[in-house]
Amino acid sequence: MPEGPSIVILKEFVKELNVEGQTIRKVTGTADLDIKRMQNQKIITFKTWGKHFLICFKDFTLRIHLMMFGSYRINSHKESKPKIGFQFENAEINFYTCAANYIEGNLNEVYDWTADIMGKKWNTKNTIEKLKKEPQAMVCDVLLDQQIFAGAGNIIKNEVLYRTKIQPQSNIRALPAKKLKELVEETKNYAFDFLKWKKANTLKKHWEVYSKKVCPQHHKVTKQELGKNKRVSYYCEKCQKQYN
DNA sequence: AAGGATGTTGCCTG
DNA sequence: TCAGGCAACATCCT
């Protein structure tokens, strides 16, 4: 489910319900949280930041993270009890297998909106500045750093590195300025391609290295756990260059 | 059909 | 003491 673009799709679906400004009739669920707090409260709006789905109330916000296995149903439900579910006068939203937490006060004090790769305030220059502060970092690590590329996940990481022809172990400091800029710009470009393909149900079809055995040039794809986080990197040793 | 994976947190250990 | 490692969470696809 996750990665930023999928959360944007969730937000778009939810906004179509036109429940912003409406009062929640009933909140149900197994979440370890004071869920009754939201009952009879008016929803101001829905937002996203990276992989976070945000339900905003007057003085607080509910943050939902779908993690690896999360799912949701709109105007329907699964057989299992939702982790958290909302009933409106004419609509229903249910979330399963997610992490839910309250954020108190002003969201702008919690979130750096310029970090969200799907957001309006995201910008190349700002992101390059952040990257330059971590010259020793590997590109496979920074692409998963939510403070820099909020919303990027392992699919985006691998596909962007293939597009930009950079091997995942490369260090930031070793990338020529032009290449660094390309890396940053392509992350946003790929994220929006991801959004478009996900909506069309054709995302997997467009994978060039992620979960693939061969790249589009018919070279063998290397699969390796790399970086601080030991997440899997898929890359082509022939098409992608190692910088260091 | 067992194994792996689009993610993150927090506990345990050396 | 604290950073790093790793389990936990929980579901669906291959």
Side-chain angles (χ1 to χ4, degrees):
Chain A
M1 256 333 333
E3 301 224 16
S6 296
I7 307 305
V8 168
I9 291 170
L10 162 61
K11 178 173 68 178
E12 289 177 2
F13 278 137
V14 164
K15 279 185 176 272
E16 282 173 20
L17 295 174
N18 288 317
V19 295
E20 284 164 318
Q22 276 191 30
T23 294
I24 298 174
R25 291 296 170 86
K26 194 172 180 194
V27 185
T28 57
T30 60
D32 184 18
L33 202 69
D34 174 21
I35 59 173
K36 290 283 179 283
R37 179 182 185 184
M38 295 178 284
Q39 209 148 283
N40 301 317
Q41 293 294 306
K42 191 202 279 186
I43 288 185
I44 308 295
T45 191
F46 299 104
K47 295 184 180 186
T48 61
W49 180 86
K51 299 165 191 166
H52 298 196
F53 179 64
L54 303 165
I55 303 177
C56 306
F57 299 89
K58 184 165 171 284
D59 299 313
F60 66 98
T61 298
L62 182 75
R63 177 185 68 208
I64 291 178
H65 198 304
L66 296 175
M67 310 301 283
M68 196 87 99
F69 312 123
S71 61
Y72 59 87
R73 291 290 186 277
I74 292 170
N75 289 335
S76 72
H77 57 86
K78 305 218 283 190
E79 293 209 1
S80 57
K81 280 188 176 176
K83 194 78 173 243
I84 194 156
F86 302 94
Q87 288 168 35
F88 299 89
E89 192 175 347
N90 295 306
E92 184 181 345
I93 312 170
N94 294 295
F95 293 94
Y96 304 86
T97 336
C98 57
N101 292 96
Y102 288 122
I103 297 171
E104 304 300 331
N106 189 351
L107 275 190
N108 298 327
E109 286 166 17
V110 176
Y111 289 113
D112 170 7
W113 299 103
T114 70
D116 178 12
I117 58 171
M118 307 304 291
K120 290 194 189 80
K121 294 194 174 172
W122 188 92
N123 70 84
T124 307
K125 196 180 165 196
N126 191 63
T127 306
I128 289 174
E129 291 307 309
K130 287 182 189 171
L131 289 174
K132 284 185 172 169
K133 288 177 187 163
E134 295 192 52
Q136 78 302 333
M138 291 198 283
V139 290
C140 61
D141 282 331
V142 297
L143 279 167
L144 293 176
D145 185 334
Q146 300 300 295
Q147 298 309 313
I148 303 176
F149 295 103
N154 214 26
I155 295 173
I156 293 177
K157 176 191 86 179
N158 285 296
E159 292 297 308
V160 167
L161 291 177
Y162 185 76
R163 275 191 173 190
T164 53
K165 304 288 173 271
I166 302 168
Q167 285 197 24
Q169 313 90 322
S170 301
N171 295 114
I172 292 295
R173 80 157 78 76
L175 295 180
K178 197 178 155 193
K179 207 67 190 168
L180 187 66
K181 189 171 182 224
E182 191 188 335
L183 176 73
V184 170
E185 287 174 344
E186 281 307 320
T187 302
K188 178 167 179 166
N189 288 341
Y190 183 79
F192 280 86
D193 283 341
F194 183 127
L195 176 66
K196 177 179 71 190
W197 292 328
K198 184 83 182 174
K199 284 178 174 175
N201 232 327
T202 59
L203 180 66
K204 286 183 189 180
K205 197 176 83 183
H206 289 91
W207 287 343
E208 297 191 302
V209 285
Y210 179 78
S211 87
K212 307 289 281 186
K213 291 268 192 280
V214 291
C215 79
Q217 301 301 313
H218 311 293
H219 304 134
K220 182 179 168 296
V221 167
T222 301
K223 180 184 177 185
Q224 210 176 348
E225 289 181 344
L226 294 169
K228 293 193 283 207
N229 43 51
K230 297 283 197 295
R231 295 294 295 280
V232 172
S233 284
Y234 293 89
Y235 64 100
C236 174
E237 292 176 32
K238 292 197 173 115
C239 296
Q240 292 166 255
K241 182 178 170 185
Q242 179 153 348
Y243 296 83
N244 43 29

